[in-house]
Amino acid sequence: MTREEKSVAINEIVEVLKSNQNIYLADISGLNALETSNLRRMCFKAGVKLSVVKNTLLEKAMDGSEKDFGELKETLKGNTSVMIAEVSSAPAKVIKNFRKIFDHVASRFECNMITNGLLLTKDLIDFMLEYKNFKVLSISIDNEKNTIRKQANINEKRWDDKWKHVENMMIYFQKRKKEKNYTHCNLDSKTVVLDENAKDLLSIHKYCVEDLQCDTHAFQFLKGSPIQHSDVMFDFDKIFEKSISPIYKNWEIIIKQLNLVKEYNKRNNKTAFLHPALASVADDDKKIDMDYFNNPQHIKKNYKSCVAPWGTAHINVDGTFFPCLAVNMGNVKNGLDKVIYGEKFKEFRRVIAKEGTVEACNHCGWLKPIN
């Protein structure tokens, strides 16, 4: 491609990014020719335009579109498929076999679902609740009415209506559980702790457990390394590289709010968690004190040896298997046993068993305090 052709291509992508509100980016590099053809056919029927672009061109187009794509550019690698639709849910609905996939998983294993809730329906909730292995429906909520996410979706004109739909679905979920006397599944809410919502953590908690009737509420701290639970794979040696965690400017306010959450929970018999679980926000009399955590560096002596590689597994849509850190251990399409007992995974566990934690564990949600 000549320089002039690249310039034309970038300008075309810029116009696409500027003129469309509903854009999905996807990696379909794992699909063969027939599967790619079938996907294009499904997209066409659903009113979704699918285009494959070079990430070098896409990144330049993002810079020229005057839109804020945050850290999304850092995930670009190789080629990316751009999915465009007038209806925001159309690309997601291309995956017609969700129920089939859910049935396959929930019929065999315990499972949870973490979602923004926008695509939930009463019919879908009824379907999922019939599975005893379905243990947790978790909704991401970063402040009351989720207005922080509204600000992040500045071009979404109907956000308030969509979020009202999510609230209604959460209430319906609890209503159906009660009607059917189902006790096997909990409604959870997850809040990312930010400087922006620091002073409101107690009110957010009340909103979740009172207004939305959540059984549990988790407060999640920002992670310190991009390798943690990433969809993009990293080289093995990256786990030893130092990373810099975000530092909370409003840390004292955060701790004060979490202590208020704890007092509220004890009075009202409510349940909340911290992720990582550095202190209790529910059931003891200790004041929350974890100043050591608000540190850009990973200080190994503050944490117990990690056991996550022996108890967690992640499988991407293309079959790539990785433990807590996104290092490719193999592909389950070639046999799960070959991955579990393979040399790559053995070496990873040997390293963690020896080191306890590594630099990539910085601010990981699975960290456990030494005391």
Side-chain angles (χ1 to χ4, degrees), residues 313-325:
H314 302 265
I315 302 174
N316 281 347
V317 67
D318 63 354
T320 301
F321 179 103
F322 63 97
C324 40
L325 301 179

Side-chain angles (χ1 to χ4, degrees), residues 306-359:
C306 183
V307 297
W310 289 266
T312 63
H314 302 265
I315 302 174
N316 281 347
V317 67
D318 63 354
T320 301
F321 179 103
F322 63 97
C324 40
L325 301 179
V327 178
N328 189 347
M329 296 294 143
N331 197 297
V332 296
K333 294 179 181 178
N334 299 322
L336 181 59
D337 57 334
K338 294 181 180 179
V339 178
I340 296 295
Y341 301 108
E343 285 304 314
K344 288 183 179 180
F345 202 15
K346 286 181 181 178
E347 176 61 18
F348 184 85
R349 286 179 289 193
R350 278 195 293 265
V351 168
I352 299 301
K354 178 183 177 181
E355 300 292 334
T357 60
V358 292
E359 288 294 336

Side-chain angles (χ1 to χ4, degrees), residues 194-196 198 222 246-254 294:
L194 306 165
D195 281 319
E196 290 81 358
L222 294 169
I247 295 298
Y248 289 99
K249 297 177 181 178
N250 295 327
W251 183 250
E252 291 184 3
I253 297 174
I254 290 170
N294 196 34

Side-chain angles (χ1 to χ4, degrees), residues 8 12 49 60-61 93 110 131 134 136 153 186 196 206 213 235 269 293 302 316 338 348 355:
V8 171
E12 289 178 350
K49 182 180 178 181
K60 291 180 180 179
K93 290 179 179 177
E110 292 186 356
Y131 291 81
F134 182 40
V136 180
N153 293 271
N186 283 335
E196 290 81 358
K206 290 181 178 180
Q213 303 176 18
D235 293 334
N269 196 29
F293 183 71
N302 291 329
N316 281 347
K338 294 181 180 179
F348 184 85
E355 300 292 334

Side-chain angles (χ1 to χ4, degrees), residues 141-179:
I141 305 173
D142 291 335
N143 66 339
E144 290 187 65
K145 302 296 182 180
N146 235 354
T147 54
I148 286 180
R149 294 190 177 233
K150 177 182 178 180
Q151 294 167 13
N153 293 271
I154 192 169
N155 291 319
E156 177 54 69
K157 305 303 182 184
R158 297 183 58 247
W159 177 263
D160 292 337
D161 292 337
K162 289 184 176 182
W163 184 247
K164 182 62 178 177
H165 167 78
V166 177
E167 291 179 322
N168 291 336
M169 290 302 98
M170 294 175 74
I171 300 300
Y172 178 80
F173 183 89
Q174 295 295 63
K175 173 175 173 288
R176 292 297 286 162
K177 275 175 51 184
K178 185 175 182 180
E179 290 173 350

